[in-house]
Amino acid sequence: MTNRVAPSLVEAEVDTFGYLYSDVEIAITGSAEPGRAEVYWETGASGQRPNIFRHNLLRDFVCDDTALRILRGISGADLQAVALLRLGELPLTVVRADPVLDVVDEARSIPSEYSWARIGFPHIRQELWGEVGRRIFHLPYPELSTTVVVGAEVRDAYRSAGLTGWSLEPALVDPDAY
């Protein structure tokens, strides 16, 4: 059966949950001893620690052990662990979504208002929703290179586990909405 629910664009909920920061050299080069790189947390409006953080210098995101287990359990090899960090005594993993999938329907997407970019908001082709249901990926457009997309099954696992840190918006455009 084909999944009839659109994939979602991921945004870090920085206003609500804050963000991580660290020494620039450690964040960029990973030069600290593995698992020893200390990060610091600038809290957001909620004051609550999320499961998934945004780091001010890293492309994708940083997960606690619970989020990493759940997301890898559903998406498998799409999510790569690239470094170990710690926030006080809390171990964290820097993760990267490696796949870049060409799944955007450019004709239905909202064009960019900027001349250097083609897409302002992507519409994922509906016939591919089922195929990307368990995926965490990027899109092949320079203007969207930092945008992480998750399939519906990943989104559902995130929500049902009660994970926090992400805001999820369906990657579809209603042609009557604009």
Side-chain angles (χ1 to χ4, degrees):
M1 179 177 171
T2 301
N3 187 328
R4 304 308 296 171
V5 180
S8 294
L9 304 177
V10 173
E11 286 281 333
E13 288 188 298
V14 174
D15 290 342
T16 303
F17 296 107
Y19 61 93
L20 297 176
Y21 61 96
S22 59
D23 176 88
V24 173
E25 184 178 338
I26 289 171
I28 293 172
T29 66
S31 63
E33 185 179 333
R36 299 276 186 233
E38 182 75 23
V39 292
Y40 307 95
W41 176 40
E42 179 68 33
T43 60
S46 74
Q48 296 178 329
R49 190 177 70 212
N51 301 100
I52 303 172
F53 292 89
R54 178 79 177 123
H55 188 288
N56 67 327
L57 298 174
L58 302 173
R59 178 178 133 173
D60 288 354
F61 41 90
V62 179
C63 294
D64 68 11
D65 289 343
T66 301
L68 183 62
R69 179 179 43 78
I70 289 166
L71 294 175
R72 279 187 136 173
I74 190 88
S75 69
D78 283 357
L79 205 56
Q80 299 300 315
V82 296
L84 299 174
L85 305 172
R86 63 182 173 82
L87 175 62
E89 295 301 313
L90 180 68
L92 298 171
T93 304
V94 177
V95 295
R96 182 181 66 222
D98 277 346
V100 176
L101 303 179
D102 187 7
V103 295
V104 174
D105 181 341
E106 286 190 40
R108 293 206 46 203
S109 295
I110 297 174
S112 176
E113 59 188 63
Y114 304 104
S115 61
W116 53 269
R118 291 193 324 224
I119 305 289
F121 187 87
H123 177 90
I124 305 296
R125 292 192 308 263
Q126 189 169 354
E127 66 271 13
L128 298 177
W129 290 358
E131 290 179 36
V132 300
R134 298 178 69 87
R135 307 295 307 265
I136 298 176
F137 57 97
H138 288 275
L139 301 171
Y141 297 90
E143 63 270 30
L144 300 173
S145 65
T146 60
T147 302
V148 175
V149 183
V150 298
E153 293 174 61
V154 176
R155 183 196 56 238
D156 293 347
Y158 168 86
R159 287 180 176 161
S160 65
L163 297 178
T164 56
W166 282 349
S167 171
L168 300 161
E169 183 173 359
L172 78 122
V173 176
D174 178 356
D176 298 326
Y178 78 102

